[in-house]
Amino acid sequence: MEKMKCLIIGSGPAAYTAAIYAARANLSPVVIEGLEPGGQLTTTTDVENFPGYPEGITGPEMMEDLKKQAQRFGTDVRFGLITEVDFSKKPFGLKGDPGIEIEADSVIIATGASAKYLGLESEEKFKGRGVSACATCDGFFYKGKDVAVVGGGDSAVEEATYLAGLAKKVYMIVRKDHLRASKVMQARVDQTENLEILYQHTTKEVLGDDMGVTGVLLHNSATGEDVEIKVDGFFLGIGHTPNSGPFKEYIDTDETGYINTEGNSTRTNVPGVFACGDVMDSIYRQAITAAGSGCKAALDAEKYLAEKDIVETDIINN
Ligand code: NDP
């Protein structure tokens, strides 16, 4: 069984920022990257809203830079997936693939969230070439163009109204005859002139060519007819799933699975286990806010370990 002071699970901006701070605080952090090394940003093209990159940077490049920065201070970054935890004992026990067996004094959960997709083959084919699950990341590329957003909840309305500020026309594709979004958000829709809601429509196919998305084939369940709309971008706004599954036995989450943290900190209900980034943030979900909370998690872990050492030294001395 390998022992360590600080294990960081995940490899997005939250995880690597936590690693940079933890490494510089001599916690010798180990990062277990997870299924999608680099996290959600690796599925976007240009990142233009992360401070410090006046010309922008691609998502994968930014993640590579963050990883290198963490490694420069001694972070041990490993390929692997944590599948099982035991937070009932100290040090904490963690297992995973391939053959991971770890004991850690502190754990930082930065496993992020995964955007939900419809599961269509054509959607997969045009991912990053017109299909996106992040309007704030990719909306800029659709200035003056027509786009569609699937979903009728707060996320979809937020995406659609954001896109309406950039695009010529935005269609919302809503499967029911009403929106699920809150009244405040619905009012935003009503006030947005270049936004049209296609109620009782479902997506059959994302259409495109070598250059990317050109349209969407929809089914109108009220009339039973198929209709085609011409768009350059197809955005998913049907929610996210926080990757908190392996921790739920011990860690408190809200009803949708986002990890609850104490007040303004990254402390979970288990002392010594911290959460940062999209796995605990259903609202902001930005690279920069994730990075900020990763920094907080490392500082919280450092404080926890320092206090624990003082308590243990006292026990030994007495
Ligand atoms: P929701 O679960 O609230 O909404 C998901 C939407 O996507 C629903 O309209 C749902 O349709 C639709 N949908 C789901 N699956 C499919 C599918 N396969 N095909 C077509 N449509 C589908 O998720 P959100 O991400 O919008 O919100 C999650 C939580 O976060 C909510 O509590 C929300 O209030 C909050 N939030 C708040 C924001 C804010 O206040 N600014 C911004 C974003 C989120 P149907 O209604 O038919 O089930």
Side-chain angles (χ1 to χ4, degrees):
M1 183 81 72
E2 189 182 359
K3 294 198 172 166
M4 55 195 64
K5 272 195 226 170
C6 179
L7 178 72
I8 299 170
I9 312 173
S11 56
Y16 282 135
T17 306
I20 292 164
Y21 274 78
R24 287 170 57 82
N26 278 342
L27 302 186
S28 311
V30 172
V31 165
I32 304 286
E33 287 183 306
L35 267 187
E36 191 181 21
Q40 287 187 74
L41 274 185
T42 57
T43 65
T44 66
T45 47
D46 289 340
V47 179
E48 294 182 330
N49 54 7
F50 199 96
Y53 294 99
E55 305 303 324
I57 184 166
T58 70
E61 269 178 299
M62 188 171 114
M63 293 322 302
E64 204 43 48
D65 280 352
L66 280 173
K67 180 178 176 176
K68 274 192 212 145
Q69 194 175 350
Q71 286 173 320
R72 183 179 146 214
F73 298 109
T75 303
D76 179 351
V77 180
R78 300 182 191 173
F79 169 77
L81 182 68
I82 297 294
T83 52
E84 221 183 298
V85 300
D86 183 354
F87 289 158
S88 67
K89 57 172 191 144
K90 300 230 167 123
F92 303 118
L94 300 106
K95 288 186 181 168
D97 301 321
I100 295 172
E101 286 202 32
I102 285 171
E103 276 186 350
D105 290 328
S106 67
V107 173
I108 295 177
I109 303 172
T111 44
S114 303
K116 290 185 196 158
Y117 284 83
L118 297 173
L120 300 170
E121 229 171 79
S122 54
E123 173 191 56
E124 186 64 33
K125 184 171 158 195
F126 292 109
K127 247 186 211 173
R129 291 195 300 135
V131 170
S132 167
C134 179
T136 36
C137 319
D138 297 328
F140 186 75
F141 306 110
Y142 299 92
K143 251 186 170 174
K145 298 184 173 174
D146 292 351
V147 298
V149 178
V150 191
D154 283 339
S155 291
V157 170
E158 202 161 62
E159 295 217 340
T161 49
Y162 176 82
L163 288 166
L166 299 162
K168 183 153 67 78
K169 167 128 195 187
V170 179
Y171 296 96
M172 277 186 80
I173 305 167
V174 179
R175 64 181 173 187
K176 292 197 176 132
D177 64 356
H178 59 272
L179 294 176
R180 180 199 287 231
S182 54
K183 290 281 174 263
V184 179
M185 298 297 261
Q186 293 193 25
R188 272 206 215 173
V189 173
D190 296 339
Q191 288 154 12
T192 309
E193 277 179 8
N194 57 339
L195 200 164
E196 179 182 344
I197 304 185
L198 302 173
Y199 286 109
Q200 291 176 281
H201 281 71
T202 50
T203 307
K204 283 183 94 170
E205 213 67 68
V206 180
L207 309 170
D209 57 24
D210 289 348
M211 302 297 287
V213 169
T214 56
V216 192
L217 179 64
L218 302 170
H219 179 71
N220 181 336
S221 59
T223 62
E225 284 171 5
D226 287 351
V227 283
E228 202 180 304
I229 53 169
K230 295 215 175 306
V231 291
D232 301 290
F234 180 78
F235 287 81
L236 282 302
I238 60 173
H240 285 76
T241 311
N243 301 317
S244 57
F247 317 108
K248 276 189 177 164
E249 190 183 337
Y250 302 96
I251 300 294
D252 288 347
T253 68
D254 69 10
E255 66 284 357
T256 48
Y258 286 93
I259 293 179
N260 292 331
T261 51
E262 221 177 273
N264 192 24
S265 79
T266 62
R267 292 189 298 270
T268 68
N269 59 304
V270 176
V273 179
F274 306 89
C276 54
D278 286 12
V279 73
M280 48 73 80
D281 174 14
S282 63
I283 311 249
Y284 299 104
R285 300 194 299 234
Q286 301 299 302
I288 186 67
T289 51
S293 73
C295 159
K296 285 166 64 174
L299 296 178
D300 286 343
E302 187 189 353
K303 184 165 181 279
Y304 165 82
L305 290 170
E307 283 168 0
K308 181 178 149 300
D309 280 350
I310 292 167
V311 172
E312 280 172 7
T313 312
D314 275 358
I315 292 168
I316 293 164
N317 290 344
N318 296 321

